[in-house]
Amino acid sequence: MSRFSPYWLWRLLAVPALGMTSALVGSSDPRIFHELLHPTGEFSARFMIIAMLASPLVLLLRGWRGPLWLKKNRRYFGVAAFGYAALHTIFYLVDEGSAARIIGDLPKFYIWTGWIAFVIFIPLAVTSMDYFVRRMGSSWKTLQRTTYAAAVLTLLHWAALHNWGGIGPALVHFGPLALLEGYRVWYWYLRPRTQAAQ
């Protein structure tokens, strides 16, 4: 099967943003930025998780087309995750309304974990183009592995919201990824190896 054009995928990934833009334009309520914080953050996490599912799914479902397609296109999901994270950050800054409030929030656990996750996202998004893949060589993959740190920080950021009231939804979203990554570790490092016939 030939590789699909990415344009239809970009349109699909943009659908949630179009809905949020419509809500933003059609509302005169100043709380709209606060209301859009959760959906932008959740879609960022969801697309990041989808991108990270590719490798363990290819290992688990060897030969299946779906995981192979996802692995070929995971960079699109990663860039979309960054896009929604950027919206999440912008809406947070607008909602806070002043530098003093933003700085005052920094010591909070669920705030600084979110900021660090976003900072990690930036070089991942910037280097997502084929040009950087070629130019950076093996160091590109090393950089991409920082996605795991961003994922853990995103999980903590989400779970710690509202005095850890976000832990349920966070675990529902990240649970499948954790299980599949656990399988991946078991497969490569812990599973019993059959000895070659003497």
Side-chain angles (χ1 to χ4, degrees), residues 9 26-29 32 41 56 62 96 101 105 129-130 138-139 143 176 193:
L9 181 55
S27 176
S28 58
D29 186 351
I32 187 63
R62 285 184 289 276
E96 288 295 280
R101 290 184 62 182
D105 276 349
M129 296 179 290
D130 289 337
S138 60
S139 61
L143 176 63
R193 306 286 180 171

Side-chain angles (χ1 to χ4, degrees), residues 14 20 23 34 52 54 75-76 82 105 126 133 135 155 169-170 194:
M20 295 172 198
H34 182 78
M52 295 180 70
R75 273 190 283 167
Y76 298 113
F82 171 76
D105 276 349
V126 169
V133 177
R135 291 282 295 177
L155 169 61
T194 57

Side-chain angles (χ1 to χ4, degrees), residues 1 5 11 14 16 23 27-29 38 44 50 73 76 88 99 104 107 115 117 123 146 156 160 162 169 187 189 191:
M1 181 176 61
S5 166
R11 294 189 186 99
S27 176
S28 58
D29 186 351
H38 290 297
S44 176
I50 291 171
N73 292 279
Y76 298 113
H88 182 69
W115 274 115
T146 61
L156 294 173
H162 310 301
Y187 183 88
Y189 302 108
R191 69 186 173 102

Side-chain angles (χ1 to χ4, degrees), residues 120-193:
I120 292 172
F121 263 134
I122 294 172
L124 294 174
V126 169
T127 60
S128 64
M129 296 179 290
D130 289 337
Y131 169 80
F132 287 102
V133 177
R134 293 190 299 268
R135 291 282 295 177
M136 295 176 66
S138 60
S139 61
W140 184 84
K141 285 191 174 181
T142 301
L143 176 63
Q144 292 299 308
R145 291 191 183 102
T146 61
T147 306
Y148 292 101
V152 171
L153 288 164
T154 301
L155 169 61
L156 294 173
H157 169 69
W158 192 349
L161 288 172
H162 310 301
N163 294 318
W164 294 92
I167 192 167
L171 291 177
V172 166
H173 282 77
F174 281 89
L177 175 62
L179 290 172
L180 284 169
E181 288 293 346
Y183 169 77
R184 192 181 179 192
V185 170
W186 172 83
Y187 183 88
W188 289 116
Y189 302 108
L190 302 176
R191 69 186 173 102
R193 306 286 180 171

Side-chain angles (χ1 to χ4, degrees), residues 90-113:
I90 292 168
F91 291 161
Y92 164 74
L93 295 174
V94 174
D95 184 54
E96 288 295 280
S98 71
R101 290 184 62 182
I102 294 166
I103 294 171
D105 276 349
L106 285 177
K108 296 177 181 178
F109 182 80
Y110 70 91
I111 294 296
W112 64 258
T113 49

Side-chain angles (χ1 to χ4, degrees), residues 5-72:
S5 166
Y7 296 110
W8 73 268
L9 181 55
W10 279 124
R11 294 189 186 99
L12 182 62
L13 294 172
V15 167
L18 292 175
M20 295 172 198
T21 301
S22 176
L24 185 63
V25 171
S27 176
S28 58
D29 186 351
R31 296 281 296 171
I32 187 63
F33 292 101
H34 182 78
E35 292 172 3
L36 290 173
L37 280 174
H38 290 297
T40 50
E42 287 177 5
F43 274 104
S44 176
R46 287 166 185 161
F47 289 139
M48 177 183 64
I49 290 167
I50 291 171
M52 295 180 70
L53 286 173
S55 291
L57 282 176
V58 167
L59 184 64
L60 179 65
L61 305 173
R62 285 184 289 276
W64 285 37
R65 285 184 170 182
L68 291 172
W69 175 88
L70 180 58
K71 189 172 182 178
K72 289 180 179 178

